[in-house]
Amino acid sequence: MIRHGFNRIDPKRRATIDYKKKQFATPTCRQQDYPHRLSIYHVPPTAEIRLEDFEQWAIDRLRILAEVEACTFRNKTSAETADHIKPLLEKWLRLDPNSSSAQGCTDPRIQDQRRKDHYSHFILRLAFSSTEDLRRRFMRVEGALFRLRFQTENARERQDFVASLSLDWEAVGEQEKRTLAQDLLNATPNLKKADIDDSSWFKVDFETVPELVESRRVFVKGGKAYVPSKEQMSIVFAGFQERLESGLELTARALPRLDEDDRLSPILDHLSKNFATPDSTLADSDTTLPGAPINASSIDQLSKHFPLCMRNLHMTLRRNNHLKHFGRFQYTLFLKGLGLTMEDCLIFWRQSFKLITDDTFNKEYRYNIRHAYGDVGGDSIRRGRGYSPFSCQKILTEHPPGSGESHGCPYRHFSIDNLTSLLQATGIDDRDVLRGVRDDTDKKRYHIACNRVFEWAHKNEIRQVKDDGSWKASELDTIVHPNTYFKRSYLLKAGLAGDSGRIHKGHTEIS
């Protein structure tokens, strides 16, 4: 006989809490204070933010991380990386020191900047903790960003930040310093005898400072590494990496719970895809080229400034007098982004399709071109002036080419032999560049391979604009859009071609 537990709560009935207790309870979410410009991101944020800020803050931080990774892949020095990243940080992820305001860290402007930095880090943790590869890459670029900020922080605020950390180290006493003075002097490079007494020393487990042990810059005894204060960065960085690694593992375990929230999952999925190649939108100002001859008859001449994906489409079109649907769509939007009018675009395609009649062109192709420009179609298409040119991220991740198709990204969708042949056909014959492209594509760094080719093809022009200071570092950041590639190539080549024009503050002046 079954006994019923009448005292148990019916699982289908909600156990409601007394409304008075619920109304006046202490809130579990609160705004956090940010006394320091630097952070090791140990405590996750708990306050609410808007969904728009959730996505935009993460995208802004992702732009910075992508540039940091690109600098690493191009073997830039720490000084070159700092010069390149500084203007981008001021634009996308600005962090002012406490000394920049009379109110110090309590200034609302400074608090807002640090709140964005704090939240954006944890949002990207969610996006990049799903796989081991993403976690490893995220740790590498976040560590590089932390190291860069730590090195550029002023001494006083850096010491205040270090003092606030609960790092596992032990100060070396005066007696122990005198006992080990000769060993410390022998084991530590560029150390003078007077520095032993003047500087402070710390003992840490040697596993926490592997880079110092590997390069033989510290004295090791009894499993402890004796680190001088000038190498403090290595201890702090090791603590940052250790906490970030454990935090990513905890996030990966909690990630399945987010599947229930259909608002966040698409955003996080989009962000993780953008880690391969950052997404980019093309503003109208990005297509403005004063004095440039953009018309149907000039495309052949301008094609020497095209990125490899569009150069391949143009060469295939000239060879076969035809392109399949996705190739036409990708190329049409690119030409639209150059500033080619719809009328000129129709003329260009009609002249390119030499093997068909006017009736066939008007019936099968004309409408699609007008649709891409927003001249026909639904109200939303016409109001939005058609479709936007494809970014590198969109070309890499959507509609991979099939048999007989020519669209997509050659660095991703071509075999290495076909890619090498295509590069050589476009004038890229330097062995070091081809070897670097092969290495980049093997490691799935497709946008880095494209930027490598661009920098080699424009090496003289880039050197000149850097020397005369006519271009800012932010105007030479990593290219993540085919139309940006064209505009930058055109400005560099046309601006330095002689008397035909000159480069001035990022645009071309026609003389």
Side-chain angles (χ1 to χ4, degrees), residues 69 73 133 137 273 275-277 396 411-412 436-449:
E69 187 175 50
F73 291 155
D133 179 58
R137 289 180 63 192
K273 287 180 180 178
F275 205 20
T277 300
L396 282 168
Y411 297 102
R412 175 170 188 174
V437 168
R438 179 190 291 267
D439 183 58
D440 289 333
T441 53
D442 287 343
K443 296 178 180 178
K444 300 182 179 180
R445 305 192 302 234
Y446 308 113
H447 65 299
I448 300 298

Side-chain angles (χ1 to χ4, degrees), residues 115-133:
R115 184 176 300 110
K116 177 181 177 179
D117 175 70
H118 187 213
Y119 277 75
S120 62
H121 171 86
F122 278 93
I123 294 168
L124 292 188
R125 271 199 197 186
L126 291 173
F128 302 135
S129 60
S130 57
T131 66
E132 180 64 28
D133 179 58

Side-chain angles (χ1 to χ4, degrees), residues 45 71 115 143 196 215 221 232 253 259 375 384 399 437:
C71 290
R115 184 176 300 110
I196 297 178
S215 56
K221 180 181 179 182
Q232 191 180 63
R253 290 188 215 138
D259 293 341
D375 189 52
H399 305 298
V437 168

Side-chain angles (χ1 to χ4, degrees), residues 25-164:
T26 303
T28 56
C29 299
R30 63 181 181 86
Q31 293 288 351
Q32 291 179 312
D33 295 326
Y34 303 98
H36 307 289
R37 178 171 173 259
L38 296 171
S39 174
I40 58 172
Y41 310 105
H42 186 53
V43 180
T46 55
E48 294 181 353
I49 60 172
R50 298 183 307 161
L51 199 60
E52 293 80 4
D53 291 337
F54 182 93
E55 183 172 17
Q56 189 57 51
W57 291 357
I59 291 173
D60 290 347
R61 189 181 194 89
L62 189 59
R63 287 189 173 106
I64 300 298
L65 296 184
E67 289 298 328
V68 170
E69 187 175 50
C71 290
T72 304
F73 291 155
R74 295 183 202 170
N75 297 320
K76 289 191 174 185
T77 64
S78 299
E80 291 173 337
T81 301
D83 291 340
H84 181 74
I85 297 296
K86 182 179 178 181
L88 301 176
L89 283 172
E90 292 179 352
K91 182 178 181 181
W92 302 114
L93 206 61
R94 187 182 182 92
L95 283 179
D96 292 325
N98 295 339
S99 57
S100 65
S101 171
Q103 303 176 45
C105 64
T106 60
D107 189 324
R109 171 180 56 85
I110 292 179
Q111 286 292 309
D112 289 342
Q113 291 174 353
R114 296 174 183 179
R115 184 176 300 110
K116 177 181 177 179
D117 175 70
H118 187 213
Y119 277 75
S120 62
H121 171 86
F122 278 93
I123 294 168
L124 292 188
R125 271 199 197 186
L126 291 173
F128 302 135
S129 60
S130 57
T131 66
E132 180 64 28
D133 179 58
L134 286 176
R135 289 196 293 272
R136 192 162 51 244
R137 289 180 63 192
F138 184 69
M139 281 186 58
R140 184 171 62 247
V141 292
E142 276 287 346
L145 178 60
F146 178 81
R147 186 188 292 272
L148 176 67
R149 284 175 167 172
F150 190 90
Q151 291 171 340
T152 56
E153 182 67 287
N154 67 65
R156 180 178 178 180
E157 295 192 20
R158 182 168 57 219
Q159 286 303 116
D160 291 342
F161 167 71
V162 172
S164 69

